[in-house]
Amino acid sequence: MSDVLALVEARLLTALGEPDARAGVTFLGADRIEVLRFPGADDGGDVVRYATLGMSAQPMSDPTAAVADPLRGPRAELVLSVRRGRADTDKVLRPLAVLAASPQVEGVVVAPGASLDTGEPLWPDAPFTSVLVAEPGGLVADLELDDPRDPVRFLPLLPMTPNEAAWKRVHGAAALQERWLRHGTDLRDPLRAGVPLD
């Protein structure tokens, strides 16, 4: 399925420019996951973006299915955008690779509205240990593949504080996003405080 990853990488480069760094992580029982760092020249260099490459090599399958379909099923890569220079966000590479490997390792189907938890800060001193998976299509357009394969979707990740993650479990993703919007939350700030949840 390396042909899929070549197309995915080309789509990322078209949308985000040339990466200035990349790192690869291999997990037992899973394919290699790479994380590419894009310096964000399109916005004056204030925002750095991290994108996974490798998660979409295989379709995600329902863990209850008797046999995984090698062609059909959702495919995705993950994209995280943060403001540069405020924290050591390059340490997010391994947590991002862990999240991208979760469909292979844990049988998780990653979709918009889902919460993904790393169990540790996303980077040193980060107030976030989990992310909300947002709707795709804004930053990087879906990549159509030949039938019968599903398109690759590039899913934005929004870091959540533990309190926000707990609140989202009760009230839902849409309610949390509405609260962020109402309070003008800068979701790209790597050191932001949690949104008021009263």
Side-chain angles (χ1 to χ4, degrees):
M1 286 296 171
S2 59
D3 60 324
V4 171
L5 295 185
L7 293 171
V8 167
E9 184 168 3
R11 174 58 56 91
L12 286 169
L13 269 57
T14 298
L16 303 178
E18 286 291 326
D20 63 357
R22 64 196 304 155
V25 181
T26 304
F27 301 96
L28 187 63
D31 295 331
R32 178 181 173 85
I33 301 288
E34 291 194 304
V35 180
L36 284 59
R37 186 181 74 179
F38 296 89
D42 59 327
D43 48 37
D46 183 45
V47 174
V48 62
R49 295 187 171 92
Y50 302 91
T52 63
L53 179 63
M55 181 177 173
S56 61
Q58 305 292 334
M60 293 180 277
S61 57
D62 184 339
T64 63
V67 179
D69 190 316
L71 294 177
R72 295 175 182 81
R75 295 174 189 259
E77 296 290 353
L78 307 176
V79 182
L80 175 70
S81 301
V82 291
R83 297 204 181 282
R84 70 164 66 246
R86 300 184 189 178
D88 187 10
T89 56
D90 283 349
K91 295 290 196 305
V92 79
L93 299 179
R94 183 170 177 80
L96 266 186
V98 169
L99 296 179
S102 61
Q104 291 183 61
V105 176
E106 301 172 27
V108 175
V109 175
V110 178
S115 300
L116 301 175
D117 197 317
T118 62
E120 61 184 13
L122 293 179
W123 48 82
D125 301 319
F128 320 107
T129 58
S130 62
V131 294
L132 174 65
V133 182
E135 290 290 337
L139 192 60
V140 185
D142 292 354
L143 173 65
E144 298 294 331
L145 301 176
D146 293 337
D147 283 337
R149 297 185 291 190
D150 288 24
V152 177
R153 306 171 84 195
F154 298 87
L155 302 173
L157 300 180
L158 308 176
M160 295 188 292
T161 67
N163 285 345
E164 289 171 340
W167 196 87
K168 179 257 175 188
R169 281 193 293 275
V170 175
H171 300 279
L176 178 58
Q177 289 178 296
E178 189 277 331
R179 189 163 284 256
W180 280 336
L181 188 61
R182 185 171 2 125
H183 288 274
T185 306
D186 181 1
L187 296 173
R188 294 176 175 176
D189 182 351
L191 297 174
R192 73 169 179 86
V195 71
L197 298 171
D198 300 339

